[in-house]
Amino acid sequence: MLSNRRRRWVLYFLEQCDDRRVDLRTLVDRISAWEYDTPPDELPWKKRKRVYTALRQSHLPKLAEVGAIEYDRNRGEVELTDEAYELRMYLEYVPSHDIPWSQCYLGLSAIAAAMTALTWYSVYPFAGLSGVVLAAILVAMFGASAVVHTWHTRRNRLGSEGRPP
């Protein structure tokens, strides 16, 4: 279900909306603008129609079938459901040049273990470190990494704002 870009964009847009319900025309305008990288008021009728037809006949019914949205075909209204929030973990954008966070934390753990061993064996410059100072350094290191990780995840979360990543 999430393999299709238009369906991901529908969820992304609905998550951005302050109103719970969105009319189909607004949704079509936004998805068309993103797809053709053109402002909605400059889109030709045919391009908008292609997106409208695909959303109405295929994508919105599939999203409604799995419970991610409520789609009222007669009124032309779409609403994000509470079940859609469970899909968030599958919708986070991870740029291809980024390293996985698991590798980052593995590297931090290796550094922490090395620092602990160097302090234990009194190797310069760690020879004079007390246990409290070492603990403070390690907590600061992991804390800073957690702050960066949280910021990075929020920035790349689908539905934050603007054009989809």
Side-chain angles (χ1 to χ4, degrees), residues 7 12 31 42 48 52 56 70 77 125 134 136 138 140 156:
R7 288 193 287 265
Y12 181 83
I31 302 297
E42 295 178 18
R48 224 183 241 140
Y52 169 82
R56 190 166 196 280
E70 284 184 21
E77 294 179 337
L134 177 63
L138 297 180
N156 288 335

Side-chain angles (χ1 to χ4, degrees), residues 5-17 26-40 43 51 158-159 161-165:
R5 181 181 63 187
R6 282 183 181 161
R7 288 193 287 265
R8 289 191 308 270
W9 283 2
V10 165
L11 295 175
Y12 181 83
F13 178 70
L14 291 174
E15 196 166 314
Q16 286 181 348
C17 295
T26 303
L27 182 64
V28 168
D29 286 348
R30 179 54 48 211
I31 302 297
S32 301
W34 286 338
E35 186 166 321
Y36 296 106
D37 201 22
T38 306
L43 277 168
V51 173
L158 290 177
E161 54 186 50
R163 192 178 195 301

Side-chain angles (χ1 to χ4, degrees), residues 3-4 6 17 42 45 62-63 67 78 81 86 88 90 96 98 109 112 119 131 134 139 160-161:
S3 65
N4 184 278
R6 282 183 181 161
C17 295
E42 295 178 18
W45 172 84
K62 283 183 183 179
L63 288 169
V78 182
T81 64
E86 294 178 15
R88 271 193 184 149
Y90 300 110
S96 60
D98 277 4
S109 298
T119 303
L134 177 63
V139 166
S160 51
E161 54 186 50

Side-chain angles (χ1 to χ4, degrees), residues 119 126-137:
T119 303
F126 300 98
L129 285 181
S130 70
V132 173
V133 172
L134 177 63
I137 291 170

